[in-house]
Amino acid sequence: MSDLIGAPVRRVEDGRLLRGRGGFLADLRLPGARQAVFIRSPYPHARIVGVDGSEALGMSGVEAVVSGRDLLPLVRPVVTALRLEGMAACGRHALAHDVARYVGDPVAVVVAADRYAAEDAAERVAVHYEPLPAVVGAAQAVEAGAPRVHQDIPDNLLLRMTQRSGEVDAAFARAALRVEETFTTGRVTAASLETRGCAAAYDAAAGTLAVWSSTQAPHMLRTVIAACLDLPEHRVRVITPDVGGGFGHKAFVSPEELTVCALARMLGVPVQWVEDRRENLTANLHAREQRLTLALAFAADGRLLGMRADILSDAGAYSVYPSGSALDALSAMLALPGPYAFPAFEATLRAALTNKAPTGSYRGVGMPIGTFAREVLLDAAARRLGIDPVDVRVRNLIPDGAFPYTAANGAVYDSGRYRDLVDRAMRAIDYEGLRRVHGGGSARVRAEDRHRGRTGEGAPDRHGAGSRMRWGVGIACFVEATAPGVDVYGRTGVQRVGGETAWLRMEPSGEVTAFVGTVSQGQGHETALAQVVAGTLGLPLEAVRVVAGDTLATPYGGGTIGSRTAVASGGALLLASRALRDRLTQIAAHLLEASPADIESDGGVLHVRGARERGLPVREVARVAHFETHRLPPEIERGLQVTEHHALRTTWSSAVHAAVVEVDAGVGAVRVERYVVVEDCGPIINPLIVDGQVHGGVAQGLGEALLEHAAYGADGQPLAATLQDYLLPTSADVPPVEVHHLETPSPHTVGEFKGMGESGTIGAPAAVVNAVADALGVEITRMPLRPEDLVIKYSRPG
């Protein structure tokens, strides 16, 4: 593995990474495919009285208008029912047939020869509604007498649970300091560069259904399509071409996918649907909206004694399959202890159904929320204790020798070096230098000095006396749950695979094809996974091809979610590569009349250690293994095809983020001037890809902290239906991100890998909020940080 870890990205002759075919939308063009356009509810809550498509059916090119009632006998509902105490089962039909439960809920669909005809016809479909009282927020949903989103869930609670450990009441009773705040986070959506899309073609003679989808989990989608359409699973094929971003929102079964499959079967022609941006922002999954009340108890010396939390999450109108829509709340609770050692923990969680778009996984899931609340409250405690914010964290970090460590909420951390992360991050951002220049015992400018245009200790503010420009620094420490496996999915009943299988096949030419069940949405899987194989077998990178995204040609996999691909597929391929290497070594040893222990492989040659001239090209060994097996003794296993499985348990990565911001207190504008990340995700396969993941995650985290909000009005209408209203960060908003690495191995994964795809998004909101609070000398408890809030609520006149 020494020649694998840290290997640079290699490129093929045309300059691309190992795989890239032009994008999902280009691949979706099926000859003769009809186009589907969905009719969606304009009401947050309404009874569907009837659907009249007669006028639309009379238009040129229109082939069908299908309502929810039409699909009832053809498509079974998807029901998400996890094995969690306090979890309600919540089902959803492909099209709403009786009640529409949010603005954007699909109630009918038009199929036409082209998209233009379908769009025009959709406007002529008359849907008759009886509006019903709507629940437009989680707080309203849990009030006595609130309207029911689903009649069979009387209290609107999708999940209610409490978790306790240690003597929480005693910890708070003996505390020298107790701090408590209520935090609120805005509603966000993934807004991937490429929207969702799917197509389906049914072969009635063969009884087979081919589906093209931008899903992150093709095998899971195949299983659900087969069950809902009552098809044999081996006769359903799901193909996932190149996809332009997923971030979790494409890892669930969507009603549009089921509808398109049913239409293809019903009409006997290929049917295609591609989501437009308005649908993407209002009808696709949302995430994050929570109210979290957090209390911390401290000893006089700053040691953390206990934590108490109350989480109320807005789950939206349905529970999505397979992980459910309480996942944000569960992940926020999971993240609360962070890298800190303390004995007492209590958290109550409620996920409430509302008349908004359903929620699902978005990069980091609820971990950014728990991290934001905890890290902001640690800063508040440091101020009241008169301790530097860095020091209060260091005093409570889990020590290196404590692993495996059981956190206060029961999570078992496999490994980490948290103090080293903090020390390296503070050196990288020059925390001590910032303190000297800008003053304040905790790198915070005292408010009265700041308002006089001074920065403490007599040092002048670089903006001059009376300046409204304020400077601040913020940090965030956290752990990230990655690659969940049998320890999570088996226990909770989530229908995802708790590991990954890999197939590896060497051709007679000596080249290798690797087959995996995870798929890429632009993360560079094909390059990184090929590096694992090439590095183990001693082959050039170009000799390895990775095949993914086709359920007919790959092993059943859990898909790409939860920062699992390098750990899961990488680990399975590493096992398979080792097994194939052992077989090649035995064959080469026999042909070279040497001991297998003396055979080495590098540069595409199997040779005797210390005598490269006594060697054979891998292609020659492969040729013999395929065509001249009579030369081999019977004890050598035949064939150069290997199957290996890697069962997973959750691994825990960790990181420290540090941000320096400048705030214009007059207009509430925030500029992030510097950003440093120190990441520990175990051994790194490809540094360029890892750093790119961190950069992208930080950009999304900055958007969540400062810009993005899928807001709803009091009437349940979405207020962010275009990218003019749902603001995404641009290159002007994101500074260069300086990334450093530690590589602490995981003791229970093959290759010692950990995941890291979500860490940038987890830490960025907390670090930026703490920096802005530091600049303004206030405590901030809500995201996003809208300029008007910073001016009206938080800023003080100079």
Side-chain angles (χ1 to χ4, degrees):
M1 290 294 291
S2 60
D3 58 344
L4 164 67
I5 304 304
V9 174
R10 302 194 200 176
R11 298 178 181 272
V12 293
E13 291 180 0
D14 62 3
R16 295 176 298 168
L17 293 179
L18 285 183
R19 174 176 178 265
R21 299 194 306 271
F24 178 69
L25 297 185
D27 287 336
L28 251 185
R29 292 172 185 162
L30 298 179
R34 301 335 191 245
Q35 303 299 310
V37 168
F38 286 88
I39 294 95
R40 300 180 183 274
S41 171
Y43 296 98
H45 199 193
R47 183 171 291 107
I48 302 167
V49 178
V51 177
D52 182 358
S54 56
E55 185 177 355
L57 284 169
M59 298 175 66
S60 175
V62 176
E63 299 192 14
V65 176
V66 178
S67 70
R69 290 191 177 95
D70 295 328
L71 285 189
L72 271 179
L74 304 178
V75 186
R76 294 171 179 164
V78 177
V79 179
T80 305
L82 307 185
R83 290 196 299 266
L84 289 175
E85 185 177 352
M87 186 86 173
C90 185
R92 184 176 189 182
H93 290 271
L95 295 175
H97 65 93
D98 54 354
V99 175
R101 292 182 170 88
Y102 67 98
V103 175
D105 204 354
V107 300
V109 61
V110 169
V111 181
D114 59 60
R115 180 68 176 260
Y116 300 100
E119 292 279 4
D120 289 344
E123 295 181 0
R124 304 294 181 88
V125 176
V127 183
H128 303 285
Y129 299 95
E130 289 181 358
L132 299 170
V135 178
V136 296
Q140 179 194 356
V142 297
E143 291 177 353
R148 295 184 185 184
V149 178
H150 294 265
Q151 288 303 308
D152 55 348
I153 305 177
D155 56 5
N156 287 328
L157 283 179
L158 180 62
L159 176 63
R160 182 209 308 265
M161 67 181 299
T162 298
Q163 192 174 46
R164 296 186 184 89
S165 68
E167 300 295 331
V168 179
D169 291 342
F172 276 83
R174 70 173 184 272
L177 173 69
R178 292 176 289 275
V179 291
E180 179 176 329
E181 291 287 356
T182 295
F183 299 88
T184 58
T185 53
R187 198 175 188 89
V188 300
T189 189
S192 53
L193 181 64
E194 196 167 52
T195 59
R196 295 178 297 156
C198 63
Y202 184 69
D203 185 334
T208 59
L209 178 70
V211 182
W212 291 258
S213 172
S214 58
T215 179
Q216 294 174 230
H219 291 91
M220 180 272 294
L221 180 60
R222 183 190 69 178
T223 296
V224 175
I225 290 172
C228 289
L229 271 65
D230 198 22
L231 289 168
E233 188 166 350
H234 70 291
R235 294 191 178 275
V236 178
R237 179 185 184 186
V238 175
I239 303 161
T240 300
D242 288 347
V243 177
F247 311 114
H249 277 189
K250 295 176 182 175
F252 298 87
V253 177
S254 75
E256 292 89 354
E257 288 167 322
L258 295 176
T259 300
V260 166
C261 292
L263 291 171
R265 191 182 187 190
M266 176 193 306
L267 301 176
V269 294
V271 178
Q272 173 182 323
W273 167 73
V274 176
E275 179 183 58
D276 65 32
R277 186 58 69 182
R278 183 179 294 271
E279 289 176 304
N280 178 254
L281 293 174
T282 60
N284 193 8
L285 302 182
H286 289 174
R288 296 284 204 272
E289 187 174 10
Q290 279 187 29
R291 184 190 73 197
L292 194 162
T293 300
L294 184 65
L296 302 178
F298 290 88
D301 62 359
R303 286 183 302 108
L304 186 56
L305 302 176
M307 175 183 289
R308 182 180 285 132
D310 180 78
I311 299 169
L312 178 61
S313 177
D314 190 320
Y318 300 96
S319 188
V320 295
Y321 188 92
S323 302
S325 293
L327 197 56
D328 259 340
L330 288 164
S331 297
M333 185 166 68
L334 180 68
L336 280 173
Y340 306 112
F342 58 94
F345 176 84
E346 178 180 283
T348 298
L349 176 159
R350 292 173 295 166
L353 293 161
T354 65
N355 292 118
K356 297 178 183 176
T359 61
S361 297
Y362 169 55
R363 198 172 193 173
V365 203
M367 290 185 280
I369 305 169
T371 299
F372 159 61
R374 182 194 64 246
E375 293 297 300
V376 169
L377 208 53
L378 282 173
D379 269 20
R383 286 190 291 274
R384 298 176 198 183
L385 289 166
I387 301 173
D388 188 282
V390 174
D391 291 341
V392 79
R393 289 167 170 82
V394 167
R395 294 180 192 189
N396 289 288
L397 291 174
I398 299 165
D400 292 356
F403 296 94
Y405 182 83
T406 301
N409 62 357
V412 180
Y413 302 162
D414 50 346
S415 65
R417 290 185 287 156
Y418 303 151
R419 176 62 189 269
D420 289 348
L421 286 172
V422 173
D423 290 346
R424 189 160 179 183
M426 295 307 99
R427 289 195 303 270
I429 205 155
D430 190 19
Y431 187 74
E432 291 299 324
L434 292 171
R435 287 177 59 185
R436 286 193 299 272
V437 172
H438 294 279
S442 63
R444 174 182 301 285
V445 180
R446 286 168 38 230
E448 60 269 27
D449 288 335
R450 196 191 301 268
H451 299 319
R452 289 198 298 267
R454 310 292 289 182
T455 58
E457 301 180 1
D461 188 329
R462 63 189 176 94
H463 295 292
S467 171
R468 68 186 191 185
M469 306 302 293
R470 315 286 174 83
W471 166 93
V473 61
I475 65 170
C477 309
F478 62 94
V479 295
E480 175 193 1
T482 76
V486 293
D487 58 330
V488 174
Y489 297 145
R491 177 174 56 84
T492 62
V494 174
Q495 297 299 296
R496 293 196 189 276
V497 178
E500 284 295 326
T501 299
W503 300 337
L504 202 59
R505 183 181 73 213
M506 179 168 278
E507 316 297 346
S509 62
E511 290 148 342
V512 175
T513 306
F515 303 85
V516 295
T518 51
V519 291
S520 175
Q521 298 86 47
Q523 301 96 326
H525 290 176
E526 293 82 4
T527 300
L529 295 178
Q531 284 182 255
V532 172
V533 176
T536 307
L537 295 176
L539 296 173
L541 191 63
E542 292 77 10
V544 180
R545 179 191 179 203
V546 177
V547 175
D550 185 344
T551 61
L552 192 62
T554 57
Y556 198 104
T560 300
I561 191 169
S563 301
R564 69 191 298 273
T565 296
V567 181
S569 292
L573 281 174
L574 185 54
L575 289 172
S577 299
R578 290 170 178 171
L580 182 57
R581 181 183 62 190
D582 290 346
R583 198 171 302 177
L584 291 168
T585 297
Q586 291 176 10
I587 297 171
H590 174 75
L591 297 175
L592 295 168
E593 299 181 345
S595 168
D598 293 332
I599 300 298
E600 293 181 340
S601 176
D602 59 73
V605 176
L606 290 154
H607 61 86
V608 177
R609 183 180 294 109
R612 189 176 177 84
E613 69 280 2
R614 289 187 61 197
L616 292 168
V618 170
R619 64 177 179 274
E620 175 62 18
V621 177
R623 189 188 65 80
V624 170
H626 279 85
F627 305 128
E628 298 182 10
T629 54
H630 65 279
R631 299 174 57 185
L632 304 178
E635 62 267 20
I636 292 180
E637 188 174 352
R638 267 51 176 174
L640 296 182
Q641 300 185 61
V642 178
T643 297
E644 292 288 347
H645 181 80
H646 183 204
L648 298 179
R649 285 165 40 200
T650 303
T651 65
W652 292 84
S653 296
S654 51
V656 173
H657 288 209
V660 177
V661 303
E662 190 172 71
V663 182
D664 185 332
V667 297
V670 176
R671 176 182 174 83
V672 183
E673 294 193 335
R674 284 196 67 199
Y675 205 95
V676 168
V677 175
V678 182
E679 168 88 29
D680 187 350
C681 60
I684 296 174
I685 298 171
N686 188 303
L688 180 62
I689 289 175
V690 169
D691 285 358
Q693 287 284 292
V694 174
H695 293 169
V698 168
Q700 288 177 296
L702 296 182
E704 188 173 338
L706 300 173
L707 298 168
E708 299 179 45
H709 186 33
Y712 281 78
D715 57 357
Q717 292 291 327
L719 303 179
T722 73
L723 293 179
Q724 289 182 313
D725 304 303
Y726 189 83
L727 302 180
L728 294 170
T730 69
S731 57
D733 302 303
V734 182
V737 179
E738 181 181 331
V739 185
H740 303 262
H741 298 283
L742 300 182
E743 297 186 48
T744 306
S746 172
H748 62 234
T749 65
V750 177
E752 303 176 329
F753 303 139
K754 299 182 179 184
M756 54 69 54
E758 298 165 278
S759 66
T761 311
I762 295 169
V768 169
V769 168
N770 276 339
V772 173
D774 184 61
L776 298 177
V778 297
E779 294 176 6
I780 297 175
T781 58
R782 64 180 291 176
M783 292 192 299
L785 301 181
R786 296 176 297 191
E788 60 268 31
D789 289 336
L790 293 178
V791 172
I792 297 170
K793 182 176 179 181
Y794 297 123
S795 296
R796 298 165 184 159

